[in-house]
Amino acid sequence: MRRPELDQILTTMLDSQKEVSDLLFTVDRPLQVESFGELKPVAMNPPLEKLTPYQMEAIALNLIGDNLQLVEHLLKNGSCDSAYALMDRARFRVNIFSQRGNYSAVLRQLTTKIPTLEQLGLPEIFKLLPKEKTGLILVTGATGSGKSTTLAAVLNEINEAKACHIVTLEDPVEFVHPHKKATFNQREQGIDFNSFANGLRAALRQAPKVILVGEMRDQETVKIALSAAETGHLVLSTLHTVNAGETINRILGMFEADDQEQIRIRLADSLRWIVSQRLSPKMGGGRYALLEIMGHNLRTEETVRLGESEGKTFYEIIESSYTFGWRTFDQACIEAFEKGIITEENALLYCSKRGVVSRGIDNIKKERGEITSNVGSLKMRSGGAVEGEIPSLTGLKLKQ
């Protein structure tokens, strides 16, 4: 297999469905794409019912290209990350990995057009994120929840408004930002630097005002990022955590118990925003980003410094600040249901506390005049009980 043949295969896969997010290659399975969160097989001509190990190796080698370092990394560690460009059609983030003696590959399609906050439909409070001068902004969520897209929109807003130097450290570079008011230097792991910690350490000598770190993966990266935030830089990064409270715990969990108190103090002073994301299916097709948003105030600073306690949890702090634009996932789910964006089923599936969301949905239904339960269909019967009913107490007598 040659590269033009692989490009033809990738083009066919992209054209097979609307909104293709991922392309999957696995031995003994057909070519598959993920569309709206669901895997779907791709019909090829001539037909390709199952990938053979030989075909998969040929695909992997074409994706890697001439990069011997990636080949060595794949053989030594069992997986490697790279990027692949399909002419002017699309760019992909590629992960090739071994499984049961064979290779598999997953290609995540990268959006080439830089999104804006308005195009993503993000809340108005997001306008405050690009205005921060220093500190740490974290966007968290599961893989594929749109973290990179959100950060790209925030960086685009800075690019439109500020004449500053922005350095990005990514694995790989996803959105290629044009130079507008800001000057971008975008560095890719494996090509321009060997680890986020080393890349971030070098970035501090490159006179940036804004630094994007693709992911907080280890203790050393967190330490350097905190140092950068403390010395006048605005640092943006991501973590694979489910909400604001878990984000704090995840960072602290990277350190030994003796070091955690100092990290709490530094994090309390540096942290500006935590945005957590979950993608829910929309009514009528597509996906909708549910957001938990926590900013910085005296209550959050105290809770980061001292830890959560009764009446002082991050959930309660965010919930009470809803009028200021902050929101929990539960409030976001209720709001999306009220606007008719997501179904009741998905609101209860993607929330944090089902009881809170269930009560909120019932209140919305009452205001609309809708039935909130099937209690009205129950009937009382007199006389003897029938099968499936609770016996009536009528006619029972106490013995003397």
Side-chain angles (χ1 to χ4, degrees), residues 359-377:
R359 288 193 296 272
I361 289 175
D362 284 348
N363 290 333
I364 293 170
K365 286 182 175 181
K366 288 177 182 177
E367 292 176 2
R368 295 173 178 174
E370 299 176 6
I371 297 174
T372 59
S373 69
N374 59 358
V375 175
S377 63

Side-chain angles (χ1 to χ4, degrees), residues 84 282 375:
Y84 189 88
K282 288 174 64 176
V375 175

Side-chain angles (χ1 to χ4, degrees), residues 113-119 127 130-131 152-164 166 177-184 210:
K113 185 178 179 182
I114 308 296
T116 65
L117 299 177
E118 291 77 14
Q119 288 170 345
K127 292 283 187 181
K131 294 180 181 179
V154 173
L155 287 178
N156 180 69
E157 198 77 11
I158 297 174
N159 197 10
E160 296 275 3
K162 298 180 183 178
C164 62
I166 301 174
H177 291 267
H179 304 294
K180 296 179 182 177
K181 282 194 173 183
T183 296
F184 271 87
V210 180

